[in-house]
């Protein structure tokens, strides 16, 4: 990925988004013409199930969050399957990007927060390299992990296999359904966890982000839709925490545990849930005072700034183009302050770090505005 430049990444992502969609249209057209076989549907279902498990169980719960331990060969299989799902990148890069998502959830630096727009969270973020992360920064330990590095180095093989396998087993229509339409489905279901599960659905736990539980995505994404549970207890191997929260990936992990193939499976007890609630409650009440005082100070800075520069220092006049420059700069600064207040006032939870950062930015902006005004006024206008 690092060798790619921005343009190349955009071209690749456009193909990855548009190609599978065209494949879906073609598949529907063929089906309409009764050119669809039982083997195609079976290939679609099996490829979807097996490759998605590579992402949910392998990349996500096993590699990134260390929700359980297993033999190295099972790890290798899960990671290769995750890579074959083609909904992200190599395992080390996926883990790095996802670690960054948890560290900065719904704050500046989160690669795919819907606070920057729903479509940005769904797939827009993939079109800009600044949203990609690398193991060197976010998961350096993985660079020493031989299994991860092996899968990572052979990524070209894992990229072609999910097309070759359905072609060999099902011919051209097998390739279409088991390869291309499968990719369309897995892409949008996976991306929905980032977009839908940070926008719609219920919050069972207080967390420092906008994560939600959405049962439809829970069903389609094999358990990943219980995303608020997951943000509350990231290490848990199970995202569905109640019997009715269907979590197919969790069931697979449980099955593997029963056969002795995985162990040290991370679980959330009722005591842990209670401790999380108590911790968040304490943090929230401490934070609400700080949040209120910063909102008030941003408000007064905003009013201060809005009044600044109009009819002040009447002995100095500004030339017309200076006025235009000043007004555009000034109105941008006021708008930025408004946006900061909005985002603090309307986010379900704002971290301390973000509050302090907003306050610093606002102070800097007010200072800069005043300095600029004074510099302009110091230059007397030519008669
Ligand atoms: Zn999330
Ligand atoms: Zn996660």
């Amino acid at each position: 990925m690092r060798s790619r430049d921005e343009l190349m990444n955009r071209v690749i992502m456009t193909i990855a988004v548009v190609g599978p969609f065209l494949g879906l249209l073609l598949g529907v057209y063929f089906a309409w013409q009764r050119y669809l076989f039982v083997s195609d549907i079976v290939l679609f279902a099996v490829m979807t199930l097996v490759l998605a498990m590579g992402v949910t169980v392998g990349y996500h719960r096993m590699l990134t969050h260390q929700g359980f331990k297993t033999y190295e060969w099972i790890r290798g299989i899960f990671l290769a399957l995750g890579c074959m799902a083609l909904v992200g990148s190599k395992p080390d890069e996926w883990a790095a990007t996802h670690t960054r998502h948890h560290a900065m959830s719904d704050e500046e630096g989160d690669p795919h927060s819907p606070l920057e727009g729903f479509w940005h969270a769904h797939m827009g973020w993939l079109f800009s390299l600044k949203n990609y992360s690398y193991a060197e920064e976010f998961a350096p330990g993985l660079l020493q992990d031989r299994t991860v590095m092996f899968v990572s180095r052979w990524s070209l093989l894992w990229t072609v296999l999910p097309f070759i396998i359905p072609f060999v087993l099902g011919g051209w229509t097998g390739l279409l359904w088991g390869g291309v339409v499968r990719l369309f489905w897995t892409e949008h279901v996976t991306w929905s966890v980032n977009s839908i599960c940070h926008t719609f659905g219920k919050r069972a736990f207080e967390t420092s982000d906008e994560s939600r539980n959405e049962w439809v995505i829970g069903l389609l994404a094999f358990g990943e839709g219980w995303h608020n549970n997951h943000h509350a207890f990231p290490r848990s191997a199970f995202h569905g925490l109640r019997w009715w929260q269907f979590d197919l990936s969790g069931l697979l992990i449980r099955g593997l545990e029963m056969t002795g193939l995985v162990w040290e499976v991370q679980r959330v007890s009722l005591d842990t849930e209670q401790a999380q609630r108590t911790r968040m409650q304490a943090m929230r009440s401490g934070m609400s005072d700080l949040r209120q005082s910063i909102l008030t100070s941003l408000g007064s800075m905003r009013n201060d700034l809005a009044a600044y520069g109009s009819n002040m220092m009447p002995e100095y006049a500004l030339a017309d183009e200076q006025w235009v420059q000043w007004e555009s700069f000034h109105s941008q600064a006021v708008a930025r302050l408004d946006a900061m207040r909005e985002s603090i006032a309307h986010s379900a939870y704002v971290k301390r770090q973000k509050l302090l950062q907003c306050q610093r930015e606002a102070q800097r902006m007010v200072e800069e505005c005043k300095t600029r005004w004074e510099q302009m006024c110091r230059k007397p206008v030519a008669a």
Side-chain angles (χ1 to χ4, degrees), residues 98 101-102 105 112 193-194 198 211 227 230-231:
H98 191 68
H101 167 61
H102 277 270
S105 287
H112 43 64
V193 177
N194 300 333
H198 274 258
S211 60
H227 199 58
H230 171 55
H231 272 270

Side-chain angles (χ1 to χ4, degrees), residues 142-295:
L142 295 185
L143 298 172
Q144 263 72 57
D145 190 314
R146 288 169 64 184
T147 310
V148 171
M149 286 297 114
F150 172 80
V151 174
S152 197
R153 262 196 301 278
W154 285 84
S155 66
L156 195 63
L157 173 68
W158 318 124
T159 305
V160 293
L161 273 183
F163 300 106
I164 291 177
I165 295 170
F167 178 68
V168 169
L169 295 177
W172 288 108
T173 56
L175 169 66
L176 182 63
W177 283 92
V180 186
V181 181
R182 188 292 305 169
L183 179 56
F184 174 84
W185 178 262
T186 314
E187 278 180 343
H188 287 279
V189 168
T190 308
W191 296 338
S192 295
V193 177
N194 300 333
S195 56
I196 293 179
C197 294
H198 274 258
T199 310
F200 306 106
K202 293 202 169 108
R203 284 170 63 78
F205 296 94
E206 184 85 49
T207 54
S208 57
D209 49 59
E210 304 281 341
S211 60
R212 325 238 152 186
N213 287 336
E214 179 52 67
W215 70 270
V216 180
I217 308 299
L219 209 61
L220 300 180
F222 303 146
E224 299 284 303
W226 305 109
H227 199 58
N228 173 246
N229 292 352
H230 171 55
H231 272 270
F233 308 101
R235 277 205 71 190
S236 171
F238 308 104
H239 293 190
L241 297 178
R242 303 286 176 266
W243 65 266
W244 47 269
Q245 295 179 338
F246 186 66
D247 177 7
L248 194 60
S249 307
L251 287 177
L252 175 65
I253 296 170
R254 192 164 299 170
L256 291 172
E257 186 187 30
M258 281 158 67
T259 55
L261 290 173
V262 310
W263 57 91
E264 289 186 38
V265 178
Q266 302 296 316
R267 290 184 157 78
V268 178
S269 66
L270 287 177
D271 285 347
T272 315
E273 279 187 25
Q274 194 46 49
Q276 195 272 357
R277 288 185 207 279
T278 315
R279 199 173 58 244
M280 289 310 292
Q281 214 166 22
M283 201 191 282
R284 195 183 171 89
S285 65
M287 284 293 298
S288 85
D289 294 345
L290 180 67
R291 177 169 164 152
Q292 201 44 53
S293 85
I294 287 184
L295 267 177

